[in-house]
Amino acid sequence: YASVAGTSFAAPHVAGAMGLLLSAQPTRTIADIESALTQSAQDLGALGPDNDNGSGLLDVAGAYAWLGQNQVPCTDSDGDGYCAEADGPTLQDCNDSLASVHPGGVEVKHDGIDQDCNGYDLTIDIIAANYVVSSQTLTVEATTSLGKDGGLELAGYGSMQWNRKKGKWALSVGSVLQDPATVTVLGPEGEESAATTVDTGGGSGGGGNGGGKGKNK
């Protein structure tokens, strides 16, 4: 036996423990194994998980016993690692017949399918994202099939305003010191990102190039 420290030792130690548990209980999910290891570990250092000792000292035999005592049903017909049961050991899979559909799944916009199980198809479109250098103003416009119920926000800047006549959400923010390069719009259905366009014109500075009006998009 040897006493060692550091994540370079902890990671293979935990990986080996997971391998042992999966060989004994091959139908259990990764979430099951993680729960078994953390729930059975001997707490060290500060009370509860901490940055020095994680969840504590592994007890593989205790983790195996925990699995035996917590036989939670899990139907995973599509093999995506998520259970169909609402009270299962994972977040509930909203469609257990499609492996591409599960909590945390990658959304495909405007396909009518809720890939990430959040209750919505992703329909957010950023139709404008413009940064004006001279006024240090960022203007973003976006649409969503939810219309006025979209509740869109511009990440890092706040809530966008709904324009009923134009059928879009918009927000203009001043005193933005530099082009953010990309913007992200958030809503209940998910998020969408887009690159900004930069307007370098509109100023009236001096110089040999006659004021330097122009656009760089």
Side-chain angles (χ1 to χ4, degrees):
Y1 293 89
S3 177
V4 294
T7 54
S8 59
F9 292 102
H13 189 196
V14 172
M18 296 185 78
L20 286 173
L21 294 172
L22 282 171
S23 68
Q25 300 253 3
T27 61
R28 301 309 289 260
T29 67
I30 297 299
D32 290 344
I33 302 299
E34 289 177 347
S35 295
L37 288 171
T38 57
Q39 293 299 319
S40 63
Q42 176 187 342
D43 193 18
L44 298 174
L47 184 63
D50 58 78
N51 290 333
D52 292 324
N53 300 289
S55 293
L57 180 65
L58 289 186
D59 180 353
V60 181
Y64 177 74
W66 188 93
L67 287 172
Q69 297 166 6
N70 292 271
Q71 296 287 348
V72 180
C74 177
T75 304
D76 185 15
S77 301
D78 55 13
D80 58 10
Y82 291 87
C83 305
E85 290 82 5
D87 57 351
T90 69
L91 294 174
Q92 186 177 17
D93 193 346
C94 59
N95 188 329
D96 199 37
S97 61
L98 284 175
S100 60
V101 177
H102 55 78
V106 179
E107 274 286 349
V108 179
K109 288 174 57 177
H110 301 292
D111 68 344
I113 300 174
D114 174 22
Q115 277 91 359
D116 60 3
C117 292
N118 70 351
Y120 302 93
D121 177 33
L122 181 59
T123 63
I124 298 173
D125 287 312
I126 298 176
I127 57 177
N130 187 42
Y131 178 73
V132 180
V133 175
S134 60
S135 61
Q136 296 184 329
T137 302
L138 175 67
T139 301
V140 178
E141 299 177 348
T143 61
T144 166
S145 65
L146 297 179
K148 64 181 179 62
D149 297 320
L152 299 186
E153 295 184 5
L154 182 59
Y157 299 98
S159 300
M160 302 179 73
Q161 286 79 47
W162 169 247
N163 188 312
R164 180 179 59 83
K165 291 184 178 180
K166 296 183 178 180
K168 64 183 180 182
W169 292 80
L171 181 65
S172 290
V173 184
S175 299
V176 179
L177 300 183
Q178 62 182 12
D179 171 30
T182 61
V183 293
T184 299
V185 173
L186 310 168
E189 60 193 281
E191 63 181 54
E192 178 72 0
S193 298
T196 59
T197 59
V198 180
D199 185 345
T200 59
S204 57
N209 61 1
K213 290 189 176 182
K215 288 188 177 183
N216 176 21
K217 292 188 177 182

